[in-house]
Amino acid sequence: MEPSLLDLAGTLIAAILTLFVFSYLLGDNALYRFAEHLFVGAAVGYAMVVAFHAIIGSKLLMPLAEALSEENWARVLLLGFSLLMGLLLLTKPIKGISWLGSLSVAFLVGVGAALTVGGAVLGTLLPQIDATTNVSTYATRYGPALGAVSGVIVLIGTTGVLIHFHFGAREAGPVGRLRAGLVRTWGGLGRWFILIAFAAILAATFMSRLSLLAGRIQFLVDSARGYLGG
Amino acid sequence: MIYCPKCGTANRDGSRFCNECGEELVIQTHIECPRCGALNPIQNVLCIQCSGRLLPFVPPSPETGAPPPIKGLSLPTKNPAGEQDEELDAAAPEPEDETPAWLRELGASLSAGGESEEPDSPEDAGEVPDWLRDLRASLPQELEEQAESAEEDEALPDWLTALEPVAGKAMDEAQTAEGEPGDEPLGSESQEDEIPGWLSRLVPSAAAARGLEPEPATSGKETPGWLTRLVPGEAEVGTEPTSTAAEMEEGEGSERPDEPAPEAPAEIEGDKIPDWLADPSAADGEVEAETELPDLEIDEREIPGRLATLQPTDEEAEVEAEPSHLEIDEGEIPDWLATLQPVDEETEAGAEPLDLEIEGGEIPDWLADIRATGGAADAEAELQDLEVEEGELPDWVAALRPVDAGAESEPAPAAIEPGAEQFPDRIAEFEPPSVDLPPAETLQEADMEPPGQKRAYKLPDEVEAALGPSVPAWLAELQVQAPEAAAAIFEEAAVDGELPEWLVRSESGPDEALASAEIPGWLLALKPPELREGTELPAPEVREWSEETGLLAGIPGTLPVEMLIAQPRAIITAESTDLAMEDSPPARLFSEIVGRSPDATLKKIASPKADVLPQTARWIIYAILIIAVSLPIIMGKPFVSRTIEPTAATVEMHRVIESLDSLDPVLVAFDYDPTGSGEMDPIASALIGHLMDRGAKLVVVSLLPAGPATAQSLLAELAAGRPDYAQGYGERYANLGYLPGQAAAVRLLGLSLETALPRDFYGTPLSELPVMQGLDSTRAFSLIVELAASQDTLRWWIEQAGTPFAIPLGTGASASVIPVARPYYETEARQLVGLVGGVPDAVTYEALVNDQGSATSSSAARLDSQLAGQLLFVLVILAGNVAYFSRRGTRRER
């Protein structure tokens, strides 16, 4: 299928804007700023269109109209309440009645926090604790030797990281000294685990950005080949 | 980095706009160092590279006036005229270094009294501030009398007059002889109160002597105490210059220790006229000495009190005192000094010698000589030895003490062994250098000069070097002078400016001289503002003190609880900062150094290339990176054909998808937008292509607004090559569009799909899409594939959909998400059934799908591009570390 003229123009513009963005490697310049502003403007405009069509129109106004026409008052009440909460958010910039918007914010924060905490505990915390403590799982997956070593490392590292974040006053006596020594040694080992984890995240992020660069270069190469007939 | 003033985002150096909010950063974000050209943050004052001053110094405006002059530590200072002269003479080679600082300060403090003229009344406002008088008014009657008597000693403070134990008395006696009305005697008790303790110990016998003789007569004003010590022998201050001149004819004999001292004139009582003053006039009987005598009659105001203290007992020659005996080795006393001492000693033939166990060299000989001269003429009381440990008391100070003690007619006080803490540090720490005296002949040659000739007597260089700063040059010169020569040198030095200004006679009037000299700046700052004079600060109204609280409330005239000087209001209104700055010479010097213009002090050097090299290196690295990444893609094939081993997570993902039956519903979360499509498109293509190959029904949603459009373009591209999907939108796959609400939306999707997404990306109701038949929630799907460019969306799907509803969830994630996604894969229940992370995993997954063991040429080229970039990055890191450690080693060697 031959690409349309609009597709060709779009590809050409995208390639040029990509070069504009790459010009930032040489320093801040107007071409980069032009591409940046154009991207931000296009993204905001697109997001507004999507928000209206995907949310306000399709999920609020049109269902509300249908509910009214169908005289489904329960649905009308639900959608009307949603509309009211949304409108109250618009009062936040108004000084005298900004407190009205706090109702919507409180509702959003409350629901969001409940979902997030519940999901984190059930979906992340408990399963991860179980995976950390259940060393036999590693033996099953990676064999007895490697699994046991992996399980011990994970257990020591996880505990060390938790100990490293211990904050408390130094206590006298044998118990205090024992705890201080534990924090110093095991916590210090946990700090190394943190450092290794951060290093892994940094390396992975670099790999991700390098993939983005390669993708952009491939786009430019493919575009050039498309225009040049290669 | 440049931090945006609007949002605080850190932008790269050189940026003109904020990367986050677009705020213009054209505000002066750096200050270029005028010295080295380095860019400094705007808040810096000094360059971070060369420490040069970045901002030009703004000199103080003329309206602020000249800074207050540096004042001495003691109370009186020079008059303004003298200060101006000092500033003018600053450029001249005035030998300031020859005089120790503390000596200058002390001299400056005493010179105020010496330079001022005799005031008309003891209550002259210029010498006793009103506020001090008020303070004194609150003292008991006895102290008031003592204060009044102290005021009569107009030139010097009372405590300073106490330092003139005998010389002052001699001068008083001289004034009595001149017929001036005697003032009230200065009580010894009051003097003891007014003299600092450490100073009173220096003159232990002086106070006692005054106690025995409660009539010191008038204060000595006309006889310069320091000159009296220059007179070789007993002198007699006569009212008639002729008699003095006649006696000076015999002064030649006074230079010979063995000759007896001439007797004082009969018409002058011995207790009024010091014999030693009469002696030089008799010894130096030259006619021209008569004309020089008026010059020698310098007011007491010109007498440094510290010098007056060095002539303790000459005027008490009439007392049958046993002369002290000083055990000083021969050769330590210059001959010219030896000639200055014999008269007193021989006058008091029966005096007992003063034994001083002083090691040779610790005392400047000229001081030792003076002490011996005076001490020999002092009281007949027994003198005791001094055993002062070395370091506790400067030897020259210790040497003075027994001389004063000898002035007592009563038994001498107990031996004083003051500790170092009893003296000011500058005195306690002062140790005059040991003097290696030159041969006596050297000095004798100098003494061979005619006595009246005006010439500068100079000690040999080695003596001056040995004396160091302890003895100013001008003082050393005066020591070797006969009185007339000393007077001549005094005048000459005053003209030439060699003499310290505090010794120069003041030309200003008494009020002007005393007005600004009485109170130093730091003390003036404590003065209550209401008592200040109009020239200093606007004095507020002085209201009479009255008690405000207590039983005496409302009664005026009561004593305030606190003294006026202790009240904080005076401190608040004082310009303490300025005074503190200007009172300290180091502070003033520092101010001058800091205040120099950078153009005047710093050389303009060529701008370094420090910024160019890193920029060039950065560009080089960029170019190499782009070439390394682009080359495999341009070539379109891998450099090396190889078999890629997939990871276990990738294999698991492939296995899960491979296990799907045809038409199994699969929910694909397209949670990336065009910004991440460069990395995520290969992953999404591999996974969605495999799903299409398996004939699954695909329902696509996205938690990002721009995600559905990105998904739609990819779906259209992938469906184009598969006949079942080419015309099957709504039949085999559907794009439900943007799912707002983040975690809550994902949760809602598990409850009701139609509630969460009533319409698809194109606005079609879900009920009208065949592919959505029977799919009311996420629980109806066989698999959820999360294409995550960020860890947040992945966690939402895991926590709100996969784990709660036990739905198999696999992910194709960006490489940056792998560290977060991996633990979910490691759980026993497999919260993630599979993981495809980054482009390498995508390529291997593609190879698994193709069952060829290797990726296609384009995918392999993409993988080579990725590996080339990573390899270059590793090399740059290694090179940077090597350069860093080598440079650090070089710095250590330096």
Side-chain angles (χ1 to χ4, degrees), chain A residues 1 16 20 25 39 80 82 86-87 98-99 101 151 160 171 192 229:
Chain A
M1 185 177 67
I16 292 174
F20 282 0
L25 297 175
F39 174 76
S82 301
L87 291 176
S98 62
W99 61 273
E171 296 180 356
W192 278 101

Side-chain angles (χ1 to χ4, degrees), chain B residues 770-777 780:
Chain B
V771 70
M772 297 302 298
Q773 298 300 321
L775 301 176
D776 55 350
S777 66

Side-chain angles (χ1 to χ4, degrees), chain B residues 665 667 701 739 745-753 775-784 797 800-802 805-808:
Chain B
L667 180 64
V701 296
L739 178 65
V746 175
R747 189 75 171 195
L748 179 62
L749 207 60
L751 300 176
S752 173
L753 189 60
L775 301 176
D776 55 350
S777 66
T778 53
R779 286 174 290 186
F781 289 91
S782 302
L783 177 65
I784 298 176
W797 281 105
Q800 305 297 338
F805 303 115
I807 305 172

Side-chain angles (χ1 to χ4, degrees), chain A residues 4-69:
Chain A
S4 63
L5 183 61
L6 186 60
D7 293 337
L8 292 176
T11 303
L12 179 62
I13 292 173
I16 292 174
L17 291 178
T18 301
L19 294 177
F20 282 0
V21 173
F22 280 159
S23 68
Y24 189 71
L25 297 175
L26 303 177
D28 200 2
N29 58 86
L31 298 178
Y32 167 76
R33 292 297 169 185
F34 173 76
E36 183 184 38
H37 286 235
L38 187 63
F39 174 76
V40 172
V44 171
Y46 181 81
M48 288 191 64
V49 171
V50 169
F52 182 81
H53 283 282
I55 301 173
I56 298 176
S58 63
K59 294 184 178 178
L60 182 62
L61 297 181
M62 294 178 64
L64 184 59
E66 293 175 358
L68 288 173
S69 62

Side-chain angles (χ1 to χ4, degrees), chain B residues 125-401:
Chain B
E127 60 182 50
V128 180
D130 296 337
W131 60 278
L132 282 178
R133 220 169 27 236
D134 295 340
L135 283 178
R136 190 180 56 202
S138 62
L139 299 175
Q141 185 63 26
E142 298 177 1
L143 297 179
E144 184 178 2
E145 293 177 357
Q146 297 168 3
E148 289 178 357
S149 62
E151 290 176 6
E152 293 167 359
D153 193 358
E154 299 153 350
L156 298 177
D158 297 332
W159 63 274
L160 286 177
T161 58
L163 296 177
E164 308 175 284
V166 189
K169 185 184 295 182
M171 288 178 283
D172 294 343
E173 294 167 355
Q175 282 197 349
T176 304
E178 292 174 4
E180 292 184 5
D183 296 323
E184 294 182 6
L186 184 64
S188 59
E189 296 178 357
S190 63
Q191 291 227 354
E192 290 179 356
D193 294 337
E194 295 176 1
I195 298 174
W198 62 273
L199 285 177
S200 62
R201 298 187 189 93
L202 291 178
V203 287
S205 63
R210 283 190 297 273
L212 294 176
E213 299 176 6
E215 294 181 0
T218 58
S219 60
K221 302 172 186 173
E222 297 180 357
T223 306
W226 61 276
L227 281 177
T228 58
R229 276 179 285 103
L230 298 177
V231 178
E234 293 184 353
E236 183 176 1
V237 181
T239 55
E240 296 179 2
T242 54
S243 63
T244 304
E247 295 172 359
M248 290 176 64
E249 294 178 358
E250 302 176 4
E252 296 292 336
S254 65
E255 297 180 359
R256 295 183 294 273
D258 297 334
E259 294 183 359
E263 295 181 355
E267 63 275 14
I268 301 176
E269 297 181 2
D271 56 347
K272 295 181 180 179
I273 302 175
D275 295 338
W276 61 272
L277 280 178
D279 181 64
S281 60
D284 300 333
E286 301 297 334
V287 179
E288 58 273 17
E290 299 179 6
T291 60
E292 296 177 0
L293 188 57
D295 296 335
L296 297 176
E297 294 178 357
I298 302 173
D299 292 343
E300 182 189 300
R301 297 183 299 272
E302 300 178 8
I303 305 170
R306 59 196 176 92
L307 295 178
T309 61
L310 302 179
Q311 43 140 7
T313 59
D314 290 348
E315 70 281 16
E316 295 185 2
E318 70 282 358
V319 182
E320 295 181 1
E322 298 179 3
S324 303
H325 175 69
L326 186 64
E327 295 180 0
I328 301 176
D329 297 339
E330 291 184 3
E332 295 182 359
I333 305 175
D335 295 336
W336 62 271
L337 289 176
T339 60
L340 297 178
Q341 65 178 352
V343 179
D344 292 345
E345 294 179 0
E346 296 183 4
T347 303
E348 316 297 334
E352 294 182 3
L354 172 65
D355 294 332
L356 286 178
E357 296 179 1
I358 301 173
E359 297 180 3
E362 292 183 353
I363 306 173
D365 294 327
W366 61 274
L367 283 177
D369 179 63
I370 292 172
R371 179 193 57 193
T373 303
D378 273 336
E380 57 185 358
E382 294 183 2
L383 302 178
Q384 60 185 18
D385 298 339
L386 283 179
E387 296 180 0
V388 180
E389 293 183 5
E390 190 171 348
E392 292 183 355
L393 188 66
D395 295 325
W396 63 277
V397 176
L400 294 175
R401 187 172 55 189

Side-chain angles (χ1 to χ4, degrees), chain A residues 4-229:
Chain A
S4 63
L5 183 61
L6 186 60
D7 293 337
L8 292 176
T11 303
L12 179 62
I13 292 173
I16 292 174
L17 291 178
T18 301
L19 294 177
F20 282 0
V21 173
F22 280 159
S23 68
Y24 189 71
L25 297 175
L26 303 177
D28 200 2
N29 58 86
L31 298 178
Y32 167 76
R33 292 297 169 185
F34 173 76
E36 183 184 38
H37 286 235
L38 187 63
F39 174 76
V40 172
V44 171
Y46 181 81
M48 288 191 64
V49 171
V50 169
F52 182 81
H53 283 282
I55 301 173
I56 298 176
S58 63
K59 294 184 178 178
L60 182 62
L61 297 181
M62 294 178 64
L64 184 59
E66 293 175 358
L68 288 173
S69 62
E70 297 174 358
E71 295 183 353
N72 186 352
W73 301 116
R75 187 171 178 80
V76 169
L77 184 60
L78 179 62
L79 294 174
F81 178 76
S82 301
L83 178 61
L84 178 62
M85 297 293 282
L87 291 176
L88 289 179
L89 279 176
L90 299 178
T91 63
K92 291 297 289 181
I94 304 173
K95 189 173 183 181
I97 57 175
S98 62
W99 61 273
L100 293 174
S102 301
L103 299 175
S104 302
V105 173
F107 181 79
L108 293 175
V109 172
V111 173
L115 283 173
T116 302
V117 172
V121 171
L122 298 177
T124 299
L125 188 59
L126 294 180
Q128 292 301 315
I129 292 175
D130 178 70
T132 303
T133 55
N134 192 0
V135 183
S136 62
T137 305
Y138 300 95
T140 304
R141 292 182 181 175
Y142 304 107
L146 185 59
V149 172
S150 299
V152 170
I153 291 176
V154 169
L155 183 60
I156 292 175
T158 304
T159 310
V161 170
L162 293 176
I163 293 176
H164 175 71
F165 286 101
H166 165 79
F167 298 101
R170 179 172 297 177
E171 296 180 356
V175 178
R177 286 194 296 270
L178 177 62
R179 192 181 68 175
L182 197 64
V183 170
R184 186 170 57 253
T185 55
W186 203 342
L189 186 63
R191 184 174 60 180
W192 278 101
F193 276 83
I194 295 174
L195 294 174
I196 293 172
F198 284 165
I201 293 175
L202 176 64
T205 303
F206 171 75
M207 289 175 58
S208 172
R209 301 301 178 261
L210 194 61
S211 298
L212 294 175
L213 174 64
R216 279 290 91 189
I217 291 176
Q218 188 167 22
F219 168 77
L220 291 176
V221 172
D222 294 343
S223 301
R225 285 176 178 168
Y227 282 97
L228 297 177

